Amino acid sequence: MADNVTSLFRSNAAHSPSMAALARESDGAGLVDFCIPCNPYFPTPAMFEDMATRLREIITYYPSGADTITAELCSLLQLPPQCVAMGNGSTELITWIDHLLVRESLAVPVPTFGRWTDQPMETGKRVDMFPLQESGGFALDLAQYAEFIRARGTKVAVICNPNNPDGGFLPKHAVVQFMDAMADLDLVVIDESFLEFADAEVEPSVVQEAMLRPNVIVLRSLGKNFGLHGIRFGYLVANPALAGRVRSMLPKWNLNSFAEHVVFMLKEHGTEYQQSLHQVRRDRMDMSGQLSSLPGLTVYPSQGNFLFVRLPVGAEGTVVRDRMLTEHRLLVRECGNKIGSSSRFLRLVVRPQVDVRRLVSGLEQVLYGTSRRGAAVPEQATGTGYSSGTAAIDRLFSETNGAGTQGLAAQAIGAGTGAPGLPAAPAAGIGMPLPAVPSPVPVGADAGMPMPAAASSGPQQMPQQAPQPLQPPPQQAPQPLQSPPMQSPPMQSPPVPQQPVPQQMPQQMPQQMPQQMPQHPLAAPAQVPAPAPVPAPMPAAASYPSPQMPTGPTPPGVPARGGLTAAQVRGTDGLSQAPGASWSGAQSWPEAAGMGQLS
């Protein structure tokens, strides 16, 4: 049975297997799901009871048309129906956005939700992937992302806020500033599928701003925050022309009767829904603290209903995933099949404390050897082989007998890699820093993206390298703002040839539309705090001269022109990684999980 269950993961390259597939291969008894990012507190037991008593009626008859269901949702959200299109899940809407509105190329930070890379590549588009840096906590620097888009002449830009799988969050004023800087693009998509779980701002959504702009779509999910992935419903918000174009392509009955029943129930359960969101945020804080106590496990700040964690050095994510499932009946999401990530990372969904205690106990047994099968993490300097999913990291540890950066430092002073007395493994929640390997990494199916050093717990800056485009554009984008060069801390490894670091763009951007947002009927009433003004705005779109790029769609099967394909992102092909300069470290997050104090 165990072999049948774990084989489901290997046969599904893009996503984890469905719960139905897992149930067919096992009895399903006692399985706790830390993989699928659902709200565990909604619907309430009373709502489930209501749906159960009306099951025969719900599944027997046709639902109302999509316009009727959309009008009811808009009355709850206080949105004009002509600016909204509802789909059979956000994936259906992503598919139509790609078919109707993506002409030639699309830019997206990675790692992220797989359909934003896979869908346009399946239709022959060029996908320009902007690698997020582990050294910056996987935070997205919007100024550097804008430069990346201009240098490649990309037509469509995507931002996921919060991002999946790391939960990284962008403040509202910065997203609005980016939307205006990209006003000349064909389209800007802001995917807010997990934004209901964020509490860094009172009203972080940009749906109101999107309706006023000609090229912006905001994508929202209902299944995730309502805890009903199986119903498959979501919606987008845009100006009437964009929303109407997508809505005109959707079938009249693209929404099912369960979706209609839930939408019409919501007006009676707004209080329970808000309580469920508050409880998820509290659980996120508690879960982050418990996981951070495990030696060598790194937990990244998150504003989603999940946490992105890096396993201790030497742990293989697929082995941990399979053993957690077969030995402890815990389903976790291993992220080795996400572009820009590796099998050293897990995404763990926020769940109630009783389930988290079971998760922590299982991880302790699998990682540190308190079970009969022994530890998944080898001892340091023993030469024990492992695969991190990233070729550069694997070679580094192979060449230093498992000592990594510390082994390189020992070589530099003539101490050798296998000598006793090497420093012990790093403290809990920090992990071993992993610098870039100086020798080039070959490109191929097995070549992974070299991961940068882990974010340190202090405020010091990490040495970074500048991105190098695969095909330099005819003219370089100007640097409208100058800043002093970044100071690097003392090197702990042999000297590596450094490339020039571009001038950093200012991290913070002023709020362009300081206005009170309409109150969401399902949201707790609160005033939106106005952010403090900052003097340095993001350069406008006109500041970036667009290079002359080849026109027309890229035919299927032909390598991308001037951008990154999936194979190139998994390797290096001469492309250094962009610095993640917008993450300011632990001091900017008042709580361990990256969330403010709850009332």
Side-chain angles (χ1 to χ4, degrees):
M1 185 272 292
D3 291 338
N4 291 340
V5 170
T6 56
S7 67
L8 293 174
F9 293 90
R10 290 186 285 275
S11 63
N12 193 327
H15 300 282
S16 298
S18 68
M19 194 62 67
L22 289 172
R24 285 192 292 268
E25 295 294 338
S26 65
D27 55 13
L31 183 65
V32 179
D33 175 28
F34 283 92
C35 176
I36 302 172
C38 269
N39 182 347
Y41 300 108
F42 198 83
T44 64
M47 295 176 69
F48 275 118
E49 182 69 22
D50 177 79
M51 286 187 283
T53 58
R54 301 181 63 180
L55 176 63
R56 183 184 183 93
E57 174 187 344
I58 291 173
I59 65 177
T60 299
Y61 300 106
Y62 277 113
S64 301
D67 290 345
T68 300
I69 304 173
T70 301
E72 175 66 15
L73 179 69
C74 289
S75 70
L76 294 173
L77 302 178
Q78 296 183 356
L79 294 172
Q82 63 268 30
C83 294
V84 175
M86 286 191 70
N88 185 32
S90 58
T91 302
E92 179 180 57
L93 298 173
I94 291 173
T95 302
W96 281 111
I97 289 171
D98 173 54
H99 282 296
L100 296 174
L101 304 173
V102 181
R103 285 191 298 138
E104 174 190 347
S105 55
L106 177 144
V108 60
V110 292
T112 194
F113 178 50
R115 291 313 301 168
W116 283 120
T117 56
D118 299 346
Q119 172 62 41
M121 286 196 295
E122 289 168 3
T123 55
K125 314 292 172 47
R126 192 186 81 220
V127 179
D128 295 334
M129 303 183 201
F130 181 75
L132 302 175
Q133 300 298 291
E134 182 185 350
S135 61
F138 293 97
L140 173 59
D141 187 307
L142 288 176
Q144 293 181 5
Y145 186 39
E147 289 182 343
F148 175 87
I149 291 168
R150 295 304 181 193
R152 284 158 174 77
T154 317
K155 304 295 185 182
V156 174
V158 175
I159 291 176
C160 295
N161 190 35
N163 190 41
N164 173 13
D166 57 275
F169 174 79
L170 295 165
K172 177 178 179 178
H173 71 89
V175 176
V176 173
Q177 192 79 11
F178 178 84
M179 287 158 45
D180 289 338
M182 300 290 108
D184 61 321
L185 298 188
D186 289 354
L187 184 68
V188 176
V189 180
I190 312 298
D191 188 338
E192 295 183 347
S193 292
F194 295 97
L195 197 62
E196 296 284 343
F197 300 103
D199 62 349
E201 292 182 291
V202 176
E203 182 52 66
S205 177
V206 295
V207 291
Q208 298 293 331
E209 287 77 10
M211 290 187 293
L212 304 178
R213 286 160 173 78
N215 70 329
V216 178
I217 286 178
V218 173
L219 194 66
R220 303 297 300 269
S221 173
L222 294 174
K224 298 175 180 63
N225 44 310
F226 291 158
L228 295 169
H229 275 283
I231 290 184
R232 306 302 304 144
F233 58 158
Y235 65 100
L236 63 79
V237 182
N239 70 71
L242 274 179
R245 188 173 179 187
V246 175
R247 193 169 53 244
S248 67
M249 302 302 296
L250 299 173
K252 181 175 180 59
W253 287 289
N254 69 317
L255 302 175
N256 58 61
S257 296
F258 267 116
E260 178 178 17
H261 186 77
V262 171
V263 168
F264 276 83
M265 287 177 67
L266 291 178
K267 60 178 174 288
E268 302 172 1
H269 298 279
T271 300
E272 295 97 320
Y273 174 65
Q274 274 301 319
Q275 290 173 346
S276 75
L277 297 180
H278 279 287
Q279 188 59 51
V280 169
R281 295 161 186 162
R282 293 187 179 98
D283 288 346
R284 180 175 61 201
M285 183 190 307
D286 175 78
M287 182 173 171
S288 177
Q290 292 197 47
L291 290 173
S292 297
S293 68
L294 296 177
L297 196 76
T298 303
V299 183
Y300 295 93
S302 173
Q303 284 283 290
N305 63 328
F306 47 80
L307 296 172
F308 197 49
V309 303
R310 188 186 68 189
L311 294 170
V313 172
E316 168 61 52
T318 56
V319 174
V320 174
R321 176 201 65 201
D322 291 352
R323 289 185 57 183
M324 291 290 286
L325 178 61
T326 57
E327 297 176 20
H328 301 280
R329 307 295 293 165
L330 299 171
L331 179 62
V332 301
R333 175 65 160 95
E334 178 266 328
C335 295
N337 58 6
K338 280 187 171 291
I339 297 175
S341 180
S342 79
S343 61
R344 289 194 63 202
F345 296 90
L346 302 179
R347 188 195 66 194
L348 302 172
V349 172
V350 173
R351 291 193 60 84
Q353 293 186 21
V354 61
D355 295 336
V356 174
R357 288 192 291 268
R358 181 173 167 183
L359 172 71
V360 172
S361 176
L363 285 173
E364 287 176 336
Q365 295 181 49
V366 170
L367 292 175
Y368 311 115
T370 57
S371 69
R372 68 182 186 277
R373 292 187 57 183
V377 181
E379 294 294 330
Q380 288 289 334
T382 61
T384 304
Y386 78 102
S387 170
S388 71
T390 303
I393 297 173
D394 294 350
R395 187 170 67 255
L396 170 64
F397 278 83
S398 174
E399 292 174 352
T400 60
N401 196 28
T405 310
Q406 299 167 348
L408 288 179
Q411 289 179 9
I413 61 175
T417 59
L422 285 175
I430 298 176
M432 180 176 292
L434 301 172
V437 177
S439 57
V441 181
V443 177
D446 298 327
M449 177 184 295
M451 300 301 296
S456 64
S457 58
Q460 69 269 17
Q461 294 291 325
M462 301 295 295
Q464 300 167 338
Q465 288 186 328
Q468 300 295 323
L470 293 176
Q471 296 181 2
Q475 50 186 334
Q476 297 295 326
Q479 298 290 337
L481 298 174
Q482 297 294 328
S483 60
M486 186 168 52
Q487 297 297 323
S488 299
M491 297 293 292
Q492 297 182 356
S493 58
V496 179
Q498 298 292 325
Q499 298 175 354
V501 179
Q503 302 300 321
Q504 297 293 328
M505 304 290 289
Q507 285 181 205
Q508 304 210 2
M509 308 165 197
Q511 181 180 11
Q512 281 206 340
M513 301 185 66
Q515 59 184 17
Q516 178 68 33
M517 303 303 301
Q519 187 63 41
H520 193 300
L522 298 180
Q527 294 296 322
V528 180
V534 289
M538 173 183 288
S543 301
Y544 298 95
S546 299
Q548 298 299 319
M549 301 295 294
T551 58
T554 304
V558 177
R561 298 188 294 267
L564 297 178
T565 64
Q568 291 165 340
V569 168
R570 290 190 175 100
T572 61
D573 201 23
L575 181 73
S576 301
Q577 301 194 16
S582 65
W583 188 67
S584 56
Q587 291 183 345
S588 64
W589 298 99
E591 300 297 343
M595 54 183 287
Q597 192 70 32
L598 287 168
S599 58

